[in-house]
Amino acid sequence: DTAVSQTPKYLVTQMGNDKSIKCEQNLGHDTMYWYKQDSKKFLKIMFSYNNKELIINETVPNRFSPKSPDKAHLNLHINSLELGDSAVYFCASSNNPTSALTGNTIYFGEGSWLTVV
Amino acid sequence: AQSVAQPEDQVNVAEGNPLTVKCTYSVSGNPYLFWYVQYPNRGLQFLLKYITGDNLVKGSYGFEAEFNKSQTSFHLKKPSALVSDSALYFCAVRPWGGYNKLIFGAGTRLAVHP
């Protein structure tokens, strides 16, 4: 009955490789996110999709490409991995956030620990 | 610039004592404020949020937070700490309007000692 699930939980890979992290939510939400937590535990948004449409794209290298096949899934593909990409990547979801009057709660997955060696 | 500050890297509390984890924010307009907790090697769990209304918000696991507009603060509190409360706590703000983009503080590690 996991609400936001992401795989794999742990990933160790070499520099230069391409890898993907998958995310699925069963909460019926139509908005999904990717957040990055660095080694100092600092959290920052990377991307957000609403009904498969990209609505937030922070300053993230082009090597990172999110893909949303449907509103319950948001996958993150990373090309040409670099040492600095090592981090914890969190997938999250919420109800439609476009109304300024709502404070929709964002629910997070368990995280994917990426280590680039 | 919109930001969230958690001035303490770590808070140490004896079990059974009250605890406070501090958070101040800087945003334009009315903020939506959130607290999340992260246990070791786990994801972020939602604790509580302030949207509007009563300044004292109650959340999960006996936690509460008080919104203070004049001091732009949203401190997390619990009357009696448990060892199992030991974790990393994040305050976050969603600025008024726009998309649902949370701005997080740097986190405060809470250590509750037996």
Side-chain angles (χ1 to χ4, degrees), chain A residues 95-106:
Chain A
N95 281 323
N96 189 336
T98 55
S99 167
L101 299 178
T102 61
N104 289 321
T105 301
I106 297 178

Side-chain angles (χ1 to χ4, degrees), chain B residues 1-104:
Chain B
Q2 301 174 117
S3 63
V4 176
Q6 293 182 243
E8 302 151 317
D9 290 336
Q10 179 151 332
V11 171
N12 296 299
V13 175
E15 188 174 29
N17 282 1
L19 69 88
T20 299
V21 182
K22 295 180 181 178
C23 171
T24 59
Y25 63 91
S26 174
V27 297
S28 54
N30 296 321
Y32 300 129
L33 294 155
F34 301 80
W35 276 101
Y36 286 86
V37 59
Q38 184 179 23
Y39 297 99
N41 297 323
R42 300 295 299 278
L44 292 158
Q45 295 182 29
F46 169 72
L47 276 179
L48 52 78
K49 67 181 178 183
Y50 172 81
I51 304 301
T52 186
D54 194 348
N55 289 342
L56 184 64
V57 179
K58 294 188 183 296
S60 306
Y61 312 121
F63 283 93
E64 57 188 31
E66 186 164 14
F67 170 62
N68 187 318
K69 188 172 184 177
S70 63
Q71 296 185 1
T72 61
S73 68
F74 189 55
H75 300 331
L76 182 69
K77 300 181 180 184
K78 186 173 182 180
S80 178
L82 299 172
V83 172
S84 58
D85 292 330
S86 299
L88 187 57
Y89 290 81
F90 289 95
C91 181
V93 64
R94 175 197 166 182
W96 178 268
Y99 294 112
N100 204 7
K101 177 174 128 177
L102 289 179
I103 299 170
F104 281 91

